[in-house]
Amino acid sequence: MANELDEMTGNVNTSGRDINVIEKQIPCRIGWGSTLFEIVLWCLGIIPGLIFLFMKIKAKNYFQQLQQKIQADASTIDNYLEQRAQILKNLAKLLEKAVDLDKDVMKAVSAFRGGRLPDTERNAVATQIDGCFGRLFPQVEAYPELKAHAAIAEAMQQNSYLQKEITAARQLYNDSVMQWNTDIFAWPTKQIVAARAGYTTRIPFTASQEVKLQARGTFF
């Protein structure tokens, strides 16, 4: 039998293929078969019915706990973003006395507020902070004497560290979202509970179009 996917002779897309996160929440639904399944369990006796009832209670508690974990993961990202915004403000103060900074570079970050952000707003704030750092660092490179400034060097190191932490926190958030999206369709117990609670899938972290274009650029 021939291989379904043959890397030697199969069709090849020479231009490549880009991918995107689809901004769509899919509702969890069940059909009449799930209701019939529960009726049959009760018809078999009170014990099977009670066992499944306790399983549904356990599943409901599980979803409530998982939602709290997703909230905590999102809050962790917000905390790192807030720290990075503060480093950016401090770095700008250090540089504005030595170089002619763009006065508009801090507008978006100055308006940053703490607390949990909606996913779309969190991504926008992260993009704004990335853009501000991208405009500050070239100015540091243009003044070699600034690179030797201990406070500036420390701020740049902290920025690099926090960016790695943000990436790791986003991955943790995505893992929790994937767990949620998988479990709400785990039939019978979890899917029945999720459908009756009106749960939908959740959207993982999404990189902005600007960030994607920057990633394709030349850095060296």
Side-chain angles (χ1 to χ4, degrees):
M1 179 179 178
N3 294 332
E4 290 85 356
L5 299 176
D6 188 347
E7 66 276 13
M8 302 301 295
T9 60
N11 296 330
V12 176
N13 184 355
T14 57
S15 61
R17 182 185 299 276
D18 200 358
I19 58 174
N20 297 285
V21 176
I22 305 302
E23 292 283 333
K24 182 179 181 180
Q25 292 178 299
I26 302 174
C28 178
R29 296 191 177 95
I30 54 174
W32 63 268
S34 296
T35 303
L36 178 62
F37 172 77
E38 292 188 87
I39 294 175
V40 169
L41 286 179
W42 284 106
C43 291
L44 292 176
I46 191 171
I47 293 180
L50 286 175
I51 290 176
F52 191 68
L53 177 62
F54 285 123
M55 290 174 63
K56 290 192 295 182
I57 294 174
K58 184 178 180 181
K60 181 179 179 180
N61 293 337
Y62 168 79
F63 282 127
Q64 290 175 340
Q65 294 171 4
L66 185 54
Q67 286 189 91
Q68 293 302 318
K69 184 179 185 303
I70 293 174
Q71 287 282 86
D73 293 343
S75 179
T76 299
I77 299 174
D78 292 344
N79 289 338
Y80 284 132
L81 286 174
E82 187 171 12
Q83 292 180 49
R84 196 160 181 244
Q86 188 59 52
I87 290 175
L88 178 55
K89 293 178 184 179
N90 295 339
L91 181 59
K93 290 179 181 178
L94 290 170
L95 293 177
E96 66 182 354
K97 297 180 180 180
V99 297
D100 184 18
L101 286 180
D102 181 353
K103 300 304 180 182
D104 294 330
V105 75
M106 301 304 297
K107 283 186 177 179
V109 179
S110 296
F112 180 81
R113 64 179 185 272
R116 188 179 184 281
L117 299 171
D119 291 341
T120 53
E121 188 172 344
R122 181 183 303 109
N123 293 343
V125 169
T127 300
Q128 290 167 0
I129 295 175
D130 287 340
C132 290
F133 269 108
R135 295 168 66 181
L136 284 178
F137 281 0
Q139 299 186 62
V140 176
E141 295 292 335
Y143 294 84
E145 66 275 10
L146 294 179
K147 296 172 67 175
H149 194 296
I152 293 177
E154 182 181 358
M156 295 175 70
Q157 290 176 354
Q158 289 177 342
N159 170 67
S160 179
Y161 166 77
L162 284 174
Q163 183 55 48
K164 293 178 182 178
E165 291 297 319
I166 290 172
T167 300
R170 284 169 175 165
Q171 183 59 56
L172 184 63
Y173 173 81
N174 281 351
D175 289 343
S176 298
V177 167
M178 182 179 69
Q179 187 66 50
W180 172 276
N181 291 344
T182 300
D183 287 341
I184 64 171
F185 295 111
W187 193 86
T189 312
K190 291 179 180 177
Q191 185 170 356
I192 290 176
V193 170
R196 289 178 178 164
Y199 291 153
T200 68
T201 57
R202 295 173 182 266
I203 301 171
F205 165 74
T206 307
S208 67
Q209 186 65 28
E210 180 182 357
V211 171
K212 289 184 177 182
L213 292 175
Q214 290 176 355
R216 296 187 181 94
T218 302
F219 297 93
F220 304 102

